[in-house]
Amino acid sequence: MVPEKLTFSPLSRRQIEADFSGGHITSDAGLLLLREVDKQHRLTQRLASVLNDSRNPVLVRHKLETMTRQRVFGVAAGYEDLNDHEALRFDQALQTAVGKESDLAGKSTLCRMEQQVNRQSVVKAHELLWRHFIEQHETPPKEIVLDFDGTDIPVHGDQPGKFFNAYYDHHCYFPLYVFCGRHLLVSYLRTSNRSDSRHSWAILALLVKFIRQHWPDTRIVFRGDSGFYRPRLLSWCDR
């Protein structure tokens, strides 16, 4: 029988005790702060509204909005693998952050949700980021700088689309990111067997077109390294 409390030798006048009556303990209490931010901006709620859900509503146990929030919060806490949710689904901090008082969705349910995401949903999800970016400005800025850059995501198994990249010297994916200051505007997953500028001019065109609808007089600066020095992209910028 383990006692509820153990007393150790004191440090000066400070008592040292081991207490085993803490109840439910979590290492992810920071999710509660993320919950408050999400409640203010409603990003996971808006994201769920553009995703596909072909399930029979009568048989649904976990709502799409709840699963979306569970997956996003899990990634934010450092749990990228769906397998992590076999244990996380019972974590009361994550349950509280998501807004449920019972067990969350398991890895198979979350996997089926992600498998239903199509190209149209991805485009709409990015438009949510762009709209949120616009909403953060009370007045149109005089100038914005769009930073384009690709980076590596190492892969260690036999994932689809895995290629060896000589520059990074390992097998990886090569996503494209677009930032404007601290705002993430684009996160586009690509294979690593193509150049840094792959699809960048098309993404730039979509992004600029959207921004121009809200800020017609704002000066837009495109910034990228030498990997983006491509005639098609530069010709579009000139036009």
Side-chain angles (χ1 to χ4, degrees), residues 158-201:
D158 194 22
Q159 291 92 332
K162 179 187 74 172
F163 290 96
F164 182 83
N165 187 285
Y167 179 82
Y168 292 105
D169 197 29
H170 55 221
H171 290 85
C172 60
Y173 292 134
F174 193 45
L176 173 69
Y177 296 108
V178 180
F179 279 89
C180 182
R182 61 186 177 87
H183 295 276
L184 174 65
L185 301 181
V186 174
S187 176
Y188 175 48
L189 186 63
R190 306 174 298 180
T191 57
S192 63
N193 61 332
R194 301 291 183 89
S195 68
D196 204 4
S197 62
R198 182 188 181 190
H199 296 159
S200 57
W201 82 267

Side-chain angles (χ1 to χ4, degrees), residues 89-123:
R89 60 187 302 213
F90 304 112
D91 188 287
Q92 292 195 343
L94 182 58
Q95 292 175 0
T96 303
V98 167
K100 287 197 65 176
E101 298 180 0
S102 56
D103 299 348
L104 301 176
K107 62 180 182 180
S108 299
T109 305
L110 293 174
C111 182
R112 287 191 293 270
M113 176 192 72
E114 293 188 356
Q115 291 296 320
Q116 294 190 64
V117 177
N118 55 24
R119 186 183 185 91
Q120 185 179 11
S121 297
V122 172
V123 173

Side-chain angles (χ1 to χ4, degrees), residues 22-168:
H24 295 283
I25 298 175
T26 181
S27 61
D28 300 304
L31 289 173
L32 301 179
L33 297 176
L34 187 59
R35 171 183 181 237
E36 298 305 312
V37 174
D38 187 55
K39 287 177 66 176
Q40 180 179 354
H41 294 277
R42 300 185 301 108
L43 284 177
T44 56
Q45 178 185 350
R46 295 157 75 176
L47 175 59
S49 68
V50 303
L51 300 181
N52 301 317
D53 191 359
S54 59
R55 299 175 298 171
N56 185 342
V58 179
L59 304 177
V60 168
R61 178 183 175 188
H62 303 284
K63 295 181 179 179
L64 181 60
E65 181 180 330
T66 302
M67 291 194 297
T68 302
R69 191 172 294 124
Q70 176 185 350
R71 186 67 171 121
V72 171
F73 285 10
V75 172
Y79 302 104
E80 300 179 8
D81 200 317
L82 283 174
N83 291 330
D84 294 327
H85 286 269
E86 285 302 283
L88 284 174
R89 60 187 302 213
F90 304 112
D91 188 287
Q92 292 195 343
L94 182 58
Q95 292 175 0
T96 303
V98 167
K100 287 197 65 176
E101 298 180 0
S102 56
D103 299 348
L104 301 176
K107 62 180 182 180
S108 299
T109 305
L110 293 174
C111 182
R112 287 191 293 270
M113 176 192 72
E114 293 188 356
Q115 291 296 320
Q116 294 190 64
V117 177
N118 55 24
R119 186 183 185 91
Q120 185 179 11
S121 297
V122 172
V123 173
K124 289 182 178 179
H126 276 88
E127 289 179 350
L128 287 178
L129 288 178
W130 303 347
R131 194 168 291 110
H132 181 260
F133 167 66
I134 298 293
E135 292 170 355
Q136 302 312 301
H137 297 77
E138 296 182 358
T139 58
K142 294 182 179 180
E143 178 182 290
I144 60 173
V145 179
L146 302 178
D147 284 301
F148 277 60
D149 198 11
T151 189
D152 64 315
I153 296 182
V155 296
H156 307 286
D158 194 22
Q159 291 92 332
K162 179 187 74 172
F163 290 96
F164 182 83
N165 187 285
Y167 179 82
Y168 292 105

Side-chain angles (χ1 to χ4, degrees), residues 146 148 199-209 220-222 233 236-237:
L146 302 178
F148 277 60
H199 296 159
S200 57
W201 82 267
I203 291 175
L204 176 63
L206 288 173
L207 183 54
V208 170
K209 182 179 179 181
I220 301 176
V221 178
F222 167 79
L233 192 152
W236 185 89
C237 289

